[in-house]
């Protein structure tokens, strides 16, 4: 598949390499392809193209959103709403507020009865959004290794076929998928990021992942 990764930060870079390792054709999107980190990334990953947000959204048959949460409106406008069409869009973003964490607890700019994913879906209503990758560190996103077995990736979204495609991708990346249902489930999945970050901020532990145990 042609995969357009919108976001040149660490998450975008890790997922771009992961999709490439699985045989997909990847473009990494940024506002500025001349940015030092992006030039370095392209030099080190010659199979991966870089482009503007607009070029990347147009390129992708499947799109990944790996952008700073609060910039979602600006990024979608730069990428061009029409370029999302009815494509599958993996949403890895979190609505992290600018205010610093309190005792390791991040602040969100959303309230408990809404999610960033729902705000994004309103901008691109025909896109098949699937939440994934938001509540694990970038170091464990691809082929995570735990002695307890495969960790669980919580996903949600309104389109069942899109979730099946994303579950297949997650299997190839070494994850078990836990489908939490429709888009409103993002109100529960996004805050898992707050929980995931606490051991990081208070104990400098950043390598854990969630697993759903079932009796
Ligand atoms: N870091 C992790 O391990 C981790 C794990 C799970 C989920 N997440 C989530 O994944 C997302 C990406 O995280 P990240 O750490 O890779 O990077 P990030 O710094 O949160 O986002 C970087 C991307 O956002 C774009 N951006 C930033 N401000 C912007 C603005 N004002 N207007 C337009 N674009 C803007 C940047 O554009 P340029 O390319 O032009 O610089 C870049 O592409 C976040 O929502 C984060 O919460 C992160």
């Amino acid at each position: 598949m042609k995969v357009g990764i919108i976001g040149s930060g660490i998450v975008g870079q890790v997922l771009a390499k992961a999709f490439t390792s699985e045989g997909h054709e990847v473009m990494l999107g940024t506002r500025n392809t001349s940015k030092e980190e992006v030039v370095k990334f392209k030099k080190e990953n010659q199979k991966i193209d870089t482009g503007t947000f607009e070029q990347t959204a147009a390129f992708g048959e499947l799109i990944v959103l790996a952008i700073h949460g609060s910039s979602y409106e600006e990024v979608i406008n730069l990428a061009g709403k029409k370029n999302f069409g009815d494509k599958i869009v993996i949403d890895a973003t979190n609505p992290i507020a600018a205010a610093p964490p309190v005792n390791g607890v991040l602040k969100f700019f959303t309230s408990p009865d809404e999610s960033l994913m729902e705000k994004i879906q309103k901008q691109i209503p025909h896109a098949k959004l699937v939440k994934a990758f938001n509540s694990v560190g970038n170091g464990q996103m691809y082929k995570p290794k735990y002695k307890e077995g495969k960790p669980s990736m919580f996903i949600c979204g309104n389109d069942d076929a899109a979730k099946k495609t994303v579950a297949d991708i997650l299997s190839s990346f070494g994850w078990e998928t836990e489908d939490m249902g429709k888009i409103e489930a993002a109100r529960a999945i996004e805050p898992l990021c707050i929980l995931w970050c606490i051991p990081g901020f208070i104990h400098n532990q950043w390598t854990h992942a969630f697993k759903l145990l079932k009796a």
Side-chain angles (χ1 to χ4, degrees):
M1 244 188 311
K2 287 186 174 175
V3 180
I5 311 264
I6 299 187
S8 69
I10 186 66
V11 174
Q13 294 192 16
V14 163
L15 292 178
K17 288 191 258 184
F19 276 101
T20 306
S21 298
E22 293 303 313
H24 301 282
E25 205 182 324
V26 175
M27 184 182 285
L28 184 82
T30 172
R31 284 169 296 180
N32 177 8
T33 50
S34 314
K35 201 166 102 168
E36 197 184 328
E37 304 92 291
V38 175
V39 171
K40 182 170 177 281
F41 177 83
K42 188 164 165 53
K43 206 169 157 192
E44 290 170 356
N45 299 277
Q46 296 196 355
K47 279 188 179 168
I48 303 174
D49 219 345
T50 56
T52 62
F53 287 145
E54 188 176 21
Q55 289 166 333
T56 305
F59 170 86
E61 294 162 334
L62 179 147
I63 294 173
V64 178
L65 274 180
I67 51 165
H68 195 66
S70 60
S71 71
Y72 74 97
E73 280 178 296
E74 190 180 339
V75 173
I76 289 169
N77 285 331
L78 287 170
K81 290 183 184 177
K82 71 172 182 338
N83 289 321
F84 290 91
D86 61 357
K87 296 174 187 174
I88 298 174
V89 177
I90 298 179
D91 171 23
T93 59
N94 286 307
I96 298 172
V102 177
N103 289 327
V105 180
L106 283 168
K107 292 196 175 184
F108 271 12
F109 60 76
T110 46
S111 65
D113 290 332
E114 61 175 352
S115 63
L116 178 55
M117 185 184 178
E118 288 164 278
K119 289 175 179 289
I120 293 171
Q121 183 78 77
K122 283 195 184 115
Q123 300 280 315
I124 41 175
H126 304 296
K128 295 164 186 158
L129 279 177
V130 181
K131 194 94 212 170
F133 295 111
N134 74 296
S135 45
V136 65
N138 62 81
Q140 278 66 45
M141 286 181 178
Y142 185 59
K143 304 274 163 91
K145 295 222 175 335
Y146 293 100
K147 60 179 186 312
E148 294 89 348
K150 289 183 184 176
S152 307
M153 185 71 78
F154 297 98
I155 71 164
C156 68
N158 286 341
D159 190 282
D160 289 339
K163 285 192 287 189
K164 168 78 176 72
T165 300
V166 174
D168 290 344
I169 290 165
L170 286 166
S171 291
S172 72
F173 281 26
W175 286 85
E176 271 174 6
T177 298
E178 295 293 345
D179 182 354
M180 296 290 115
K182 300 293 182 193
I183 191 167
E184 292 77 13
R187 300 173 194 177
I189 298 175
E190 288 174 2
L192 289 177
C193 147
I194 301 179
L195 188 64
W196 186 87
C197 285
I198 293 173
F201 288 127
I202 65 177
H203 301 306
N204 200 26
Q205 289 169 7
W206 300 99
T207 55
H208 46 284
F210 295 122
K211 185 167 181 70
L212 192 66
L213 301 177
K214 296 168 197 167

